Amino acid sequence: MHIGFLGLGNMGGPMARNLLKAGHQLSVFDLSPAALASLVEAGAQQAASPAAVAQAGVEVIISMLPAAAHVRQVYLGEDGLLSRVPANVLLIDCSTIDPMTAREVAAAAASKGNPMLDAPVSGGTGGAAAGTLTFMVGGKEADFRQAEPILAAMGKNIVHCGDSGNGQVAKVANNLLLGISMIGAAEAMSLGVALGMDAKVLAGVINSSSGRCWSSEIYNPFPEVVENSPASRGYSGGFGADLMLKDLGLASEAAKQTRQPIILGAVAQQLYQAFSLQGNGALDFSAIIKLYRQEH
Ligand code: NAD
């Protein structure tokens, strides 16, 4: 299949490569010449703008952009996708953005005769490279069925979450819980160790008791508790604290729209914000435990 792909960064680059590996033909665009060159070298055709991707004869267009402003620009802007895309070309935005923008852009696409899905991912850059991402997809059932085999070349878990915007809703709700639960795990581990317990023994007790969660078991923020976790390699790699801060900001904006209280989410957002201000935004988000412990 001939597919258009926009946004070839840390996530989009490896995702596009997996589409090439699956035998698809790709027309690609990115503002970064280096990102473009790397995909062209891998076999993709370069396009000069989003509008040029739209006119390259593609059947499906996928985007993986930093934030809502970029999505608006690429789809709705002058020389944007919707200015030129032929009707019926399926549009799939995999960026993590707020559900309201996702719904607004999908409605604009529908008015031009283009079905659109929001399909944010979890699994990080490792999952993007390995083709094991989880896709949370919002949009019409028939459009989801059309997208499923294409997304399967980039991920292993593809979930239809309901109507337009619901993929973003699922992503925002999951990452809200993740941001909060990581702080909870950091707090409990730090308290236990400060009171004299061995970190590994404590984690073992928590993980076979009712406090167990992904943040305590798979991704424990205390160093040397989980082998190969970011905490055991100086909090490098993984999911950056600034990316968690971005996602908590999306949760906060979405909550405001519906007047839904997210009390612990607001506290978590402020903690990651303070942590980022201290220069830690590039560290894995589990490094938030540093707020609770003296540096050794
Ligand atoms: P990135 O900054 O590495 O890549 C974004 C790419 O988009 C860049 O190459 C940039 O040049 C390009 N771009 C920006 N504006 C553009 C425009 N107008 N036209 C064309 N290209 C444009 O970001 P990333 O890490 O790949 O993340 C992409 C999305 O995936 C974000 O929404 C992020 O929240 C989400 N996400 C990231 C991770 C992760 O671990 N990195 C995990 C899950 C979800």
Side-chain angles (χ1 to χ4, degrees):
M1 187 180 284
H2 190 175
I3 299 172
F5 204 111
L6 298 101
L8 307 164
N10 292 328
M11 295 294 290
M15 288 165 69
R17 275 167 203 279
N18 281 331
L19 289 174
L20 285 172
K21 272 188 218 151
H24 295 295
Q25 181 189 352
L26 284 198
S27 287
V28 297
F29 174 70
D30 193 293
L31 293 179
S32 152
L36 259 179
S38 159
L39 254 292
V40 168
E41 201 174 303
Q45 292 150 254
Q46 178 169 341
S49 67
V53 171
Q55 293 188 306
V58 297
E59 294 160 72
V60 173
I61 299 176
I62 299 172
S63 53
M64 190 50 159
L65 299 159
H70 310 84
V71 173
R72 278 179 192 281
Q73 190 190 348
V74 161
Y75 282 86
L76 309 176
E78 217 177 290
D79 224 21
L81 282 176
L82 293 188
S83 70
R84 304 284 167 79
V85 68
N88 299 320
V89 170
L90 175 63
L91 308 171
I92 307 173
D93 180 40
C94 297
S95 325
T96 300
I97 63 170
D98 62 281
M100 293 72 71
T101 301
R103 287 173 181 153
E104 187 190 322
V105 177
S111 74
K112 301 252 175 185
N114 293 98
M116 182 161 181
L117 299 168
D118 47 294
V121 303
S122 79
T125 51
T132 55
L133 293 171
T134 291
F135 285 89
M136 296 159 246
V137 187
K140 294 205 171 83
E141 171 82 22
D143 302 332
F144 172 75
R145 295 281 162 234
Q146 190 188 341
E148 218 177 359
I150 301 162
L151 299 180
M154 302 180 283
K156 69 168 171 31
N157 200 8
I158 298 149
V159 187
H160 188 211
C161 300
D163 285 344
S164 177
N166 281 0
Q168 301 294 355
V169 171
K171 171 83 182 167
V172 148
N174 180 71
N175 280 23
L176 171 66
L177 179 55
L178 177 62
I180 294 169
S181 74
M182 182 54 77
I183 293 169
E187 199 163 294
M189 288 298 301
S190 302
L191 175 66
V193 171
L195 291 172
M197 249 190 108
D198 175 79
K200 263 194 171 168
V201 175
L202 176 58
V205 171
I206 290 173
N207 291 332
S208 55
S209 307
S210 46
R212 170 171 162 252
C213 63
W214 188 88
S215 296
S216 68
E217 188 176 25
I218 311 292
Y219 216 82
N220 196 293
F222 206 94
E224 311 303 337
V225 167
V226 177
E227 215 182 312
N228 294 327
S229 68
S232 298
R233 50 167 196 263
Y235 302 100
S236 63
F239 184 56
D242 274 347
L243 284 177
M244 176 52 81
L245 183 57
K246 173 199 164 190
D247 289 358
L248 289 171
L250 292 177
S252 161
E253 275 307 307
K256 208 187 294 172
Q257 302 268 338
T258 48
R259 300 189 171 211
Q260 183 65 30
I262 52 160
I263 298 155
L264 296 184
V267 174
Q269 185 183 5
Q270 291 304 313
L271 286 173
Y272 286 107
Q273 201 151 297
F275 191 57
S276 180
L277 183 68
Q278 291 166 3
N280 297 312
L283 294 180
D284 179 76
F285 79 115
S286 64
I288 196 79
I289 198 172
K290 286 173 181 277
L291 293 181
Y292 291 94
R293 300 185 65 224
Q294 285 182 335
E295 293 288 348
H296 297 289

